[in-house]
């Protein structure tokens, strides 16, 4: 009888342990996050762009963000990106989007221009695209910083 109770108790603990592990692995699952944004700024050797955006994730998390792009290179212009879109990869939480992504690129446009960039911050990647207004010409290395909106 004692062996039978001990066996049932062991089975109950094993099942409870298996159930406790499942939520932890589900919480560690990767999610896909998307960003919409608007930016505007200028560049004369130094690139200075600010903007705002909203990030939404497939797991229900979301955040309003501010965007700051700073860089340097052989670049000049004044332009804006409206209704830009971004896609993040390899995220476990929306909190991982914050920080500075490194990007290098060339750009050219008059009146209406398009821009597409891929950048990385550690294991997190971000691809952005959008259409804009203004004029720009050049090559630069920039930091694309995402911070919590105030």
């Amino acid at each position: 009888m004692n062996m039978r109770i001990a066996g049932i108790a062991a089975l109950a603990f094993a099942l409870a342990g298996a159930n406790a592990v499942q939520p932890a692995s589900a919480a560690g699952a990767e999610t896909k996050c998307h960003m919409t944004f608007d930016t505007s700024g200028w560049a004369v050797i130094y690139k200075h762009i600010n903007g705002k955006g909203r990030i939404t994730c497939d797991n229900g998390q979301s955040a309003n963000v501010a965007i700051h792009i700073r860089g340097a290179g052989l670049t000049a212009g004044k332009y804006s990106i409206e209704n830009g879109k971004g896609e993040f990869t390899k995220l476990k939480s929306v909190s991982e989007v914050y920080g500075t992504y490194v990007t290098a690129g060339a750009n050219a446009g008059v009146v209406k221009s398009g821009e597409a960039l891929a950048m990385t911050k550690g294991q997190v990647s971000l691809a952005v695209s959008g259409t804009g207004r203004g004029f720009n010409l050049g090559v630069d290395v920039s930091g694309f910083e995402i911070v919590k909106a105030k």
Side-chain angles (χ1 to χ4, degrees):
M1 182 80 166
N2 287 339
M3 291 292 278
R4 186 182 225 178
I5 293 171
I8 292 171
L11 180 60
F13 283 121
L15 290 174
N19 287 336
V21 172
Q22 287 177 345
S25 64
E30 289 183 357
T31 186
K32 189 150 190 126
C33 296
H34 312 275
M35 177 172 64
T36 56
F37 65 94
D38 297 314
T39 60
S40 63
W42 53 267
V44 178
I45 299 175
Y46 177 73
K47 185 186 248 185
H48 184 272
I49 299 170
N50 291 314
K52 60 184 177 170
R54 176 140 179 94
I55 297 172
T56 55
C57 301
D58 293 346
N59 66 3
Q61 296 177 326
S62 64
N64 291 322
V65 297
I67 298 168
H68 307 289
I69 304 170
R70 304 292 185 264
L74 299 172
T75 186
K78 182 176 181 178
Y79 47 92
S80 65
I81 299 290
E82 298 165 354
N83 298 314
K85 303 208 180 312
E87 300 249 348
F88 295 90
T89 59
K90 297 192 182 229
L91 294 177
K92 292 184 179 169
S93 168
V94 72
S95 64
E96 292 182 89
V97 303
Y98 303 114
T100 301
Y101 298 76
V102 177
T103 182
N107 53 68
V110 177
V111 183
K112 286 200 172 204
S113 61
E115 188 162 0
L117 296 170
M119 56 198 91
T120 186
K121 175 185 70 89
Q123 290 191 8
V124 177
S125 295
L126 170 61
V128 297
S129 63
T131 56
R133 300 176 187 205
F135 64 94
N136 56 310
L137 177 64
V139 294
D140 64 82
V141 175
S142 302
F144 188 104
E145 182 185 26
I146 299 175
V147 297
K148 290 181 182 180
K150 293 180 183 179

